[in-house]
Amino acid sequence: MPDGMQEDTVEDNQRFTQRWKVMLALSTILIAIGICVDWSPPQDTNLPDTSSFLVTLGTLLGFAGLLGAIRR
């Protein structure tokens, strides 16, 4: 394998690793904000509660990050 292709592969792996680490960190932050911050009730009854929305979004993002880490 030429050196150029090997360097590209290493660089791609580093970017991919960095991407899933950022996703996990962001999911942790979203879940923490959703749990710790006291949000006022929504004005529109059709909208979901902000804390449950942030926790759900953080969980989905965390699962995507873990899936990316496993598939690496």
Coordinates of all heavy atoms in Angstrom, one line a residue:
M1 N 0.9 -1.2 0.0 CA 0.0 0.0 0.0 C 0.9 1.2 0.0 O 1.8 1.4 0.8 CB -0.9 0.0 1.2 CG -1.8 1.1 1.3 SD -2.8 1.1 2.9 CE -4.0 0.0 2.4
P2 N 0.7 2.1 -0.9 CA 1.5 3.4 -1.0 C 1.3 4.2 0.3 O 0.3 4.1 1.0 CB 0.9 4.1 -2.2 CG 0.2 3.1 -3.0 CD -0.3 2.1 -2.0
D3 N 2.3 5.0 0.6 CA 2.3 5.8 1.8 C 1.2 6.8 1.8 O 0.6 7.1 2.9 CB 3.6 6.5 2.0 CG 4.7 5.6 2.4 OD1 4.4 4.5 3.0 OD2 5.9 5.9 2.2
G4 N 0.9 7.4 0.7 CA -0.2 8.4 0.6 C -1.6 7.8 1.0 O -2.4 8.4 1.6
M5 N -1.8 6.5 0.5 CA -3.1 5.9 0.8 C -3.2 5.6 2.3 O -4.2 5.7 2.9 CB -3.3 4.7 0.0 CG -3.6 5.0 -1.5 SD -4.0 3.5 -2.4 CE -5.6 3.1 -1.8
Q6 N -2.1 5.1 2.9 CA -2.0 4.8 4.3 C -2.2 6.0 5.2 O -2.9 6.0 6.2 CB -0.7 4.1 4.6 CG -0.7 3.5 6.0 CD 0.6 2.7 6.3 OE1 1.6 2.8 5.5 NE2 0.6 2.0 7.3
E7 N -1.6 7.1 4.8 CA -1.8 8.4 5.5 C -3.3 8.8 5.4 O -3.8 9.3 6.4 CB -0.9 9.5 5.0 CG 0.6 9.2 5.3 CD 1.5 10.3 4.7 OE1 1.0 11.3 4.1 OE2 2.7 10.1 4.7
D8 N -3.9 8.7 4.3 CA -5.3 9.0 4.1 C -6.2 8.2 5.0 O -7.1 8.7 5.6 CB -5.8 8.9 2.7 CG -5.2 10.0 1.8 OD1 -4.7 11.0 2.3 OD2 -5.2 9.8 0.5
T9 N -5.9 6.9 5.1 CA -6.7 6.0 5.9 C -6.5 6.4 7.4 O -7.5 6.4 8.2 CB -6.2 4.5 5.7 OG1 -6.3 4.2 4.3 CG2 -7.1 3.6 6.5
V10 N -5.3 6.7 7.8 CA -5.0 7.0 9.2 C -5.8 8.3 9.5 O -6.4 8.5 10.6 CB -3.5 7.2 9.5 CG1 -3.3 7.8 10.8 CG2 -2.9 5.8 9.4
E11 N -5.7 9.3 8.6 CA -6.4 10.6 8.8 C -7.9 10.4 8.9 O -8.6 11.0 9.7 CB -6.0 11.5 7.7 CG -6.5 12.9 7.9 CD -6.1 13.9 6.8 OE1 -4.9 13.8 6.4 OE2 -6.9 14.7 6.3
D12 N -8.5 9.5 8.0 CA -9.9 9.3 8.1 C -10.3 8.6 9.4 O -11.3 9.0 9.9 CB -10.3 8.4 6.9 CG -10.3 9.1 5.6 OD1 -10.3 10.4 5.6 OD2 -10.3 8.4 4.5
N13 N -9.5 7.7 9.9 CA -9.8 7.0 11.1 C -9.7 8.0 12.3 O -10.6 7.9 13.2 CB -8.8 5.9 11.4 CG -9.1 4.7 10.5 OD1 -10.2 4.5 10.0 ND2 -8.1 3.8 10.4
Q14 N -8.8 8.9 12.3 CA -8.7 9.9 13.3 C -9.9 10.8 13.3 O -10.5 11.2 14.3 CB -7.4 10.7 13.2 CG -6.2 10.0 13.6 CD -4.9 10.8 13.3 OE1 -4.9 11.8 12.6 NE2 -3.8 10.3 13.9
R15 N -10.3 11.3 12.1 CA -11.5 12.1 12.0 C -12.8 11.4 12.5 O -13.6 12.0 13.2 CB -11.7 12.6 10.6 CG -11.2 13.9 10.3 CD -11.6 14.4 9.0 NE -10.5 14.4 8.1 CZ -10.5 14.1 6.8 NH1 -11.6 14.0 6.2 NH2 -9.4 14.1 6.1
F16 N -12.9 10.1 12.1 CA -14.0 9.3 12.5 C -14.1 9.2 14.0 O -15.1 9.3 14.7 CB -14.0 8.0 11.8 CG -15.3 7.2 11.9 CD1 -16.4 7.7 11.3 CD2 -15.4 6.1 12.7 CE1 -17.6 7.0 11.4 CE2 -16.6 5.4 12.8 CZ -17.7 5.8 12.1
T17 N -12.9 8.9 14.6 CA -12.8 8.8 16.1 C -13.2 10.1 16.8 O -13.9 10.1 17.8 CB -11.4 8.3 16.5 OG1 -11.1 7.1 15.9 CG2 -11.3 8.2 18.0
Q18 N -12.7 11.2 16.2 CA -13.0 12.5 16.8 C -14.5 12.8 16.7 O -15.1 13.3 17.6 CB -12.2 13.5 16.1 CG -12.1 14.8 16.7 CD -11.1 15.8 16.0 OE1 -11.0 15.7 14.8 NE2 -10.5 16.6 16.7
R19 N -15.1 12.4 15.6 CA -16.5 12.7 15.4 C -17.4 11.9 16.4 O -18.3 12.5 17.0 CB -16.9 12.2 14.0 CG -18.1 12.8 13.4 CD -18.3 12.5 12.0 NE -17.3 13.1 11.2 CZ -16.8 12.6 10.0 NH1 -17.3 11.5 9.6 NH2 -15.9 13.2 9.4
W20 N -17.1 10.6 16.7 CA -18.0 9.9 17.6 C -17.7 10.4 19.1 O -18.6 10.4 19.9 CB -17.9 8.4 17.5 CG -16.7 7.7 17.8 CD1 -15.8 7.2 17.0 CD2 -16.2 7.3 19.2 NE1 -14.8 6.6 17.7 CE2 -15.0 6.6 19.0 CE3 -16.8 7.5 20.4 CZ2 -14.3 6.1 20.1 CZ3 -16.0 6.9 21.5 CH2 -14.9 6.3 21.3
K21 N -16.5 10.8 19.4 CA -16.2 11.4 20.7 C -17.0 12.7 20.9 O -17.5 12.9 22.0 CB -14.7 11.6 20.9 CG -14.0 10.3 21.1 CD -12.5 10.6 21.3 CE -11.7 9.3 21.5 NZ -10.3 9.6 21.7
V22 N -17.1 13.5 19.9 CA -17.8 14.8 20.0 C -19.3 14.5 20.1 O -20.0 15.1 20.9 CB -17.5 15.7 18.7 CG1 -18.5 16.8 18.7 CG2 -16.1 16.2 18.8
M23 N -19.8 13.5 19.4 CA -21.2 13.1 19.5 C -21.5 12.6 20.9 O -22.6 13.0 21.5 CB -21.6 12.0 18.5 CG -21.6 12.5 17.1 SD -21.8 11.2 15.9 CE -23.5 10.8 16.2
L24 N -20.7 11.8 21.5 CA -20.9 11.4 22.9 C -20.8 12.5 23.9 O -21.7 12.6 24.8 CB -19.9 10.3 23.3 CG -20.1 8.9 22.6 CD1 -19.0 7.9 23.0 CD2 -21.5 8.4 22.9
A25 N -19.9 13.4 23.7 CA -19.8 14.6 24.6 C -21.0 15.5 24.5 O -21.6 15.9 25.5 CB -18.5 15.4 24.3
L26 N -21.5 15.7 23.3 CA -22.7 16.5 23.1 C -23.9 15.9 23.7 O -24.7 16.6 24.3 CB -22.8 16.8 21.6 CG -24.0 17.8 21.2 CD1 -23.8 19.1 21.9 CD2 -24.0 17.9 19.7
S27 N -24.0 14.6 23.5 CA -25.2 13.9 24.1 C -25.2 14.0 25.6 O -26.2 14.2 26.2 CB -25.2 12.4 23.6 OG -24.2 11.7 24.2
T28 N -24.0 13.9 26.2 CA -23.9 14.0 27.6 C -24.3 15.4 28.1 O -25.1 15.5 29.1 CB -22.5 13.7 28.1 OG1 -22.1 12.4 27.7 CG2 -22.4 13.8 29.6
I29 N -23.9 16.4 27.4 CA -24.3 17.8 27.7 C -25.8 18.0 27.6 O -26.4 18.6 28.4 CB -23.5 18.8 26.8 CG1 -22.0 18.7 27.2 CG2 -24.0 20.2 27.0 CD1 -21.1 19.5 26.3
L30 N -26.4 17.5 26.5 CA -27.8 17.7 26.3 C -28.6 17.0 27.4 O -29.6 17.5 27.9 CB -28.2 17.1 24.9 CG -27.8 18.0 23.7 CD1 -28.1 17.2 22.4 CD2 -28.5 19.3 23.7
I31 N -28.2 15.8 27.7 CA -28.9 15.0 28.8 C -28.8 15.8 30.1 O -29.8 15.9 30.9 CB -28.4 13.6 28.9 CG1 -28.9 12.8 27.6 CG2 -29.0 12.9 30.1 CD1 -28.2 11.4 27.5
A32 N -27.6 16.3 30.4 CA -27.4 17.0 31.7 C -28.2 18.3 31.7 O -28.8 18.6 32.7 CB -25.9 17.3 31.8
I33 N -28.3 19.0 30.6 CA -29.1 20.2 30.6 C -30.6 19.9 30.7 O -31.3 20.5 31.4 CB -28.9 21.0 29.3 CG1 -27.5 21.6 29.3 CG2 -29.9 22.1 29.1 CD1 -27.1 22.2 27.9
G34 N -31.0 18.8 30.1 CA -32.4 18.4 30.1 C -32.8 18.0 31.5 O -33.9 18.2 32.0
I35 N -31.9 17.4 32.3 CA -32.2 16.9 33.6 C -32.1 18.0 34.7 O -32.9 18.1 35.6 CB -31.3 15.7 34.0 CG1 -31.7 14.5 33.1 CG2 -31.4 15.3 35.5 CD1 -30.8 13.3 33.3
C36 N -31.0 18.8 34.6 CA -30.7 19.7 35.6 C -31.4 21.1 35.5 O -31.6 21.7 36.6 CB -29.2 20.0 35.6 SG -28.2 18.5 36.0
V37 N -31.8 21.5 34.4 CA -32.4 22.9 34.2 C -33.9 22.8 34.4 O -34.5 21.9 33.9 CB -32.0 23.5 32.8 CG1 -32.8 24.8 32.7 CG2 -30.5 23.7 32.7
D38 N -34.4 23.7 35.2 CA -35.8 23.8 35.5 C -36.5 24.6 34.4 O -36.4 25.8 34.4 CB -36.1 24.3 36.8 CG -37.6 24.2 37.2 OD1 -38.3 23.4 36.7 OD2 -38.0 25.1 38.0
W39 N -37.2 24.0 33.4 CA -37.8 24.7 32.3 C -39.2 25.0 32.6 O -39.9 24.3 33.2 CB -37.7 23.8 31.0 CG -36.4 23.4 30.7 CD1 -35.7 22.2 31.0 CD2 -35.5 24.1 29.8 NE1 -34.5 22.2 30.5 CE2 -34.3 23.3 29.7 CE3 -35.5 25.3 29.2 CZ2 -33.2 23.8 29.0 CZ3 -34.4 25.7 28.5 CH2 -33.3 25.0 28.4
S40 N -39.6 26.2 32.1 CA -41.0 26.6 32.2 C -41.9 25.7 31.3 O -41.4 25.2 30.3 CB -41.2 28.1 31.9 OG -40.8 28.3 30.6
P41 N -43.2 25.5 31.7 CA -44.0 24.7 30.8 C -44.2 25.4 29.5 O -44.2 26.6 29.4 CB -45.3 24.6 31.6 CG -45.3 25.6 32.7 CD -43.8 26.0 32.9
P42 N -44.4 24.5 28.4 CA -44.6 25.1 27.1 C -45.9 25.9 27.0 O -46.9 25.6 27.6 CB -44.6 23.9 26.2 CG -45.0 22.8 27.0 CD -44.5 23.1 28.4
Q43 N -45.8 27.0 26.2 CA -47.0 27.8 26.0 C -48.0 27.1 25.1 O -49.2 27.2 25.3 CB -46.6 29.1 25.3 CG -45.6 30.0 26.1 CD -46.2 30.4 27.5 OE1 -47.4 30.7 27.6 NE2 -45.3 30.5 28.5
D44 N -47.6 26.3 24.2 CA -48.4 25.6 23.3 C -48.5 24.2 23.8 O -47.5 23.5 24.0 CB -47.9 25.6 21.9 CG -48.8 25.0 20.8 OD1 -49.9 24.6 21.2 OD2 -48.4 25.0 19.7
T45 N -49.7 23.6 24.0 CA -49.9 22.3 24.6 C -49.5 21.2 23.6 O -49.3 20.1 24.0 CB -51.3 22.1 25.0 OG1 -52.2 22.3 23.9 CG2 -51.7 23.0 26.1
N46 N -49.3 21.5 22.3 CA -49.0 20.5 21.3 C -47.5 20.3 21.3 O -47.0 19.3 20.8 CB -49.4 21.0 19.9 CG -50.9 21.0 19.8 OD1 -51.6 20.3 20.4 ND2 -51.3 21.9 18.9
L47 N -46.7 21.2 21.9 CA -45.2 21.0 22.0 C -44.8 20.1 23.1 O -45.4 20.1 24.2 CB -44.5 22.4 22.1 CG -44.7 23.4 21.0 CD1 -44.1 24.7 21.4 CD2 -44.1 22.8 19.7
P48 N -43.8 19.3 22.9 CA -43.3 18.4 24.0 C -42.6 19.2 25.1 O -42.2 20.4 24.8 CB -42.3 17.5 23.3 CG -41.8 18.3 22.1 CD -43.0 19.1 21.7
D49 N -42.5 18.7 26.2 CA -41.7 19.3 27.3 C -40.3 19.4 26.9 O -39.7 18.5 26.3 CB -41.9 18.4 28.6 CG -41.3 19.1 29.8 OD1 -41.4 20.3 29.9 OD2 -40.8 18.4 30.7
T50 N -39.7 20.6 27.2 CA -38.3 20.8 26.8 C -37.3 19.8 27.4 O -36.4 19.3 26.7 CB -37.9 22.3 27.2 OG1 -38.8 23.2 26.6 CG2 -36.5 22.6 26.7
S51 N -37.4 19.5 28.7 CA -36.5 18.6 29.3 C -36.6 17.2 28.7 O -35.5 16.6 28.4 CB -36.7 18.6 30.8 OG -38.0 18.1 31.1
S52 N -37.8 16.7 28.5 CA -37.9 15.4 27.9 C -37.4 15.4 26.4 O -36.8 14.4 26.0 CB -39.3 14.9 27.9 OG -40.2 15.7 27.1
F53 N -37.6 16.5 25.7 CA -37.0 16.6 24.4 C -35.5 16.6 24.3 O -34.9 15.8 23.5 CB -37.5 17.9 23.7 CG -36.9 18.1 22.3 CD1 -37.4 17.4 21.2 CD2 -36.0 19.1 22.1 CE1 -36.8 17.6 20.0 CE2 -35.4 19.3 20.9 CZ -35.9 18.6 19.8
L54 N -34.9 17.3 25.3 CA -33.4 17.3 25.3 C -32.8 16.0 25.7 O -31.8 15.5 25.2 CB -32.9 18.4 26.2 CG -33.1 19.8 25.7 CD1 -32.7 20.8 26.8 CD2 -32.3 20.1 24.5
V55 N -33.5 15.3 26.7 CA -33.0 14.0 27.1 C -33.2 13.0 25.9 O -32.3 12.2 25.7 CB -33.8 13.5 28.4 CG1 -33.5 12.1 28.7 CG2 -33.4 14.4 29.5
T56 N -34.3 13.0 25.2 CA -34.5 12.1 24.1 C -33.5 12.4 23.0 O -32.9 11.5 22.4 CB -35.9 12.3 23.6 OG1 -36.9 12.0 24.6 CG2 -36.2 11.3 22.4
L57 N -33.3 13.7 22.7 CA -32.3 14.0 21.7 C -30.9 13.6 22.1 O -30.1 13.1 21.3 CB -32.4 15.6 21.4 CG -31.5 16.1 20.3 CD1 -32.0 15.5 19.0 CD2 -31.6 17.6 20.3
G58 N -30.5 13.8 23.3 CA -29.2 13.4 23.8 C -29.0 11.9 23.8 O -28.0 11.4 23.4
T59 N -30.1 11.2 24.1 CA -30.0 9.7 24.0 C -29.9 9.2 22.6 O -29.0 8.3 22.4 CB -31.3 9.1 24.7 OG1 -31.5 9.6 26.0 CG2 -31.3 7.6 24.7
L60 N -30.6 9.8 21.7 CA -30.5 9.4 20.3 C -29.1 9.7 19.8 O -28.5 8.9 19.0 CB -31.5 10.1 19.4 CG -33.0 9.6 19.6 CD1 -33.9 10.4 18.8 CD2 -33.1 8.1 19.3
L61 N -28.6 10.9 20.1 CA -27.2 11.3 19.7 C -26.2 10.4 20.3 O -25.2 10.0 19.7 CB -27.0 12.7 20.0 CG -25.7 13.4 19.4 CD1 -25.8 13.4 17.9 CD2 -25.6 14.8 19.9
G62 N -26.4 10.0 21.6 CA -25.5 9.1 22.2 C -25.4 7.7 21.6 O -24.4 7.1 21.4
F63 N -26.6 7.2 21.2 CA -26.7 5.9 20.6 C -26.0 6.0 19.2 O -25.3 5.0 18.8 CB -28.1 5.4 20.4 CG -28.7 4.8 21.6 CD1 -30.0 5.1 22.0 CD2 -28.0 4.0 22.5 CE1 -30.6 4.6 23.1 CE2 -28.5 3.5 23.6 CZ -29.8 3.7 24.0
A64 N -26.2 7.1 18.5 CA -25.5 7.2 17.2 C -24.0 7.3 17.4 O -23.2 6.7 16.6 CB -26.0 8.5 16.5
G65 N -23.5 7.9 18.4 CA -22.1 8.0 18.7 C -21.5 6.6 19.1 O -20.5 6.2 18.6
L66 N -22.3 5.9 19.9 CA -21.8 4.5 20.3 C -21.8 3.6 19.1 O -20.9 2.7 18.9 CB -22.7 4.0 21.4 CG -22.5 4.6 22.8 CD1 -23.6 4.0 23.7 CD2 -21.1 4.3 23.3
L67 N -22.8 3.7 18.2 CA -22.9 2.9 17.0 C -21.7 3.2 16.1 O -21.1 2.3 15.5 CB -24.2 3.1 16.3 CG -24.5 2.2 15.1 CD1 -24.6 0.8 15.4 CD2 -25.7 2.7 14.3
G68 N -21.4 4.5 16.0 CA -20.2 4.8 15.2 C -18.9 4.3 15.8 O -18.0 3.9 15.1
A69 N -18.8 4.3 17.1 CA -17.6 3.7 17.8 C -17.5 2.2 17.6 O -16.4 1.7 17.4 CB -17.7 4.1 19.3
I70 N -18.7 1.5 17.6 CA -18.7 0.1 17.5 C -18.3 -0.3 16.0 O -17.6 -1.3 15.8 CB -20.0 -0.5 17.9 CG1 -20.2 -0.4 19.4 CG2 -20.1 -2.0 17.5 CD1 -21.5 -0.7 19.9
R71 N -18.9 0.4 15.1 CA -18.7 0.1 13.7 C -17.3 0.4 13.1 O -17.0 0.1 12.0 CB -19.8 0.8 12.8 CG -21.1 0.2 13.1 CD -22.1 0.7 12.1 NE -21.7 0.3 10.8 CZ -22.3 0.8 9.7 NH1 -23.2 1.7 9.8 NH2 -21.9 0.3 8.5
R72 N -16.6 1.2 13.9 CA -15.2 1.6 13.5 C -14.4 0.4 13.1 O -13.8 0.3 12.2 CB -14.6 2.4 14.6 CG -13.3 3.0 14.2 CD -12.6 3.6 15.4 NE -11.7 2.7 15.8 CZ -10.6 3.0 16.6 NH1 -10.5 4.2 17.0 NH2 -9.8 2.1 17.0

